[in-house]
Amino acid sequence: MHDSFLSDLSNPERPVPGGGAAAAHAGAVALALLEKIIREEMGRHQSIPERSLWEELLDQISSLSKSLYRLRDEDGMSYMRLAETKTSGKKEAVILAALKEAIDCPMKIMEETHKALGHVAQTAQHCKKHLLSDLLVVCEVLGGANRGAGHIAQANLRLMSDPIAKADYQNRLAGLYACGCEALKGAEASILGYPGCLPGFIIKLMRFQPHIVSRGCYVIDRKFLLDFAAGRSGGCQRKGWCMDLVV
């Protein structure tokens, strides 16, 4: 059953929540899974230093989660304020201020996902290997939340007519995209640094076809994997069946 947020999100008669709120919600979902991993490790560790590590991480994740839920609500409010100022004939300065709010909110969501990815990397260095697949899910969802919030910020930025302010925001947004990519790469590298987190035949594939792996990240066509698993390795020469991921 949908919770109230998802019901509102799926309702076409409600202008909010929208894309920015959805990105923040996705980030909060990823943090819920990360919190589960951390709590499992807390229950396993009894020594004071190890438990302190997980308790500190849990506090940080809890704070980030609250921030994302707050930003989820703020995104809708900023959108409604912007819509109201545009339709009520307010002065240009008032409209610009509302537009900046509508851009700032998704950018803040991006910043919080970057912090969360840093905590994923830290968790990967200490948690049990059987939890690494769940950490990869956390990475994927946080990466999507980061990019999604960036799309909303970029869409709102197109409405800005002030060329100086627009250029400043564009530079800041580009910097956030770059930071997000680095944070995601770092988190994935921390996880993929454990060979045990990959299926056995992927490990073999990496040994025999290292050209498909780029800095710990990989994209492999499903048909190629099926052929490889079936022993039809000659198919690896066919163009388009495997490719490098540029990161």
Side-chain angles (χ1 to χ4, degrees), residues 111-159:
E111 290 172 348
E112 298 300 76
T113 63
H114 301 170
K115 296 175 187 176
L117 285 165
H119 296 320
V120 171
Q122 188 177 3
T123 301
Q125 295 171 12
H126 300 281
C127 73
K128 286 291 189 180
K129 292 182 180 180
H130 74 276
L131 297 171
L132 294 178
S133 57
D134 281 351
L135 275 182
L136 284 171
V137 173
V138 174
C139 274
E140 292 291 343
V141 179
L142 286 174
N146 174 63
R147 291 188 296 273
H151 292 320
I152 298 301
Q154 186 66 60
N156 292 337
L157 183 56
R158 295 191 187 101
L159 303 175

Side-chain angles (χ1 to χ4, degrees), residues 77-129:
M77 291 187 288
S78 66
Y79 173 83
M80 295 302 293
R81 280 193 291 268
L82 176 60
E84 191 273 333
T85 56
K86 290 177 65 178
T87 57
S88 61
K90 295 288 181 69
K91 292 182 179 180
E92 186 67 27
V94 177
I95 297 176
L96 179 60
L99 180 56
K100 286 182 176 181
E101 280 187 37
I103 300 171
D104 285 336
C105 188
M107 290 175 69
K108 290 176 183 176
I109 294 170
M110 296 175 75
E111 290 172 348
E112 298 300 76
T113 63
H114 301 170
K115 296 175 187 176
L117 285 165
H119 296 320
V120 171
Q122 188 177 3
T123 301
Q125 295 171 12
H126 300 281
C127 73
K128 286 291 189 180
K129 292 182 180 180

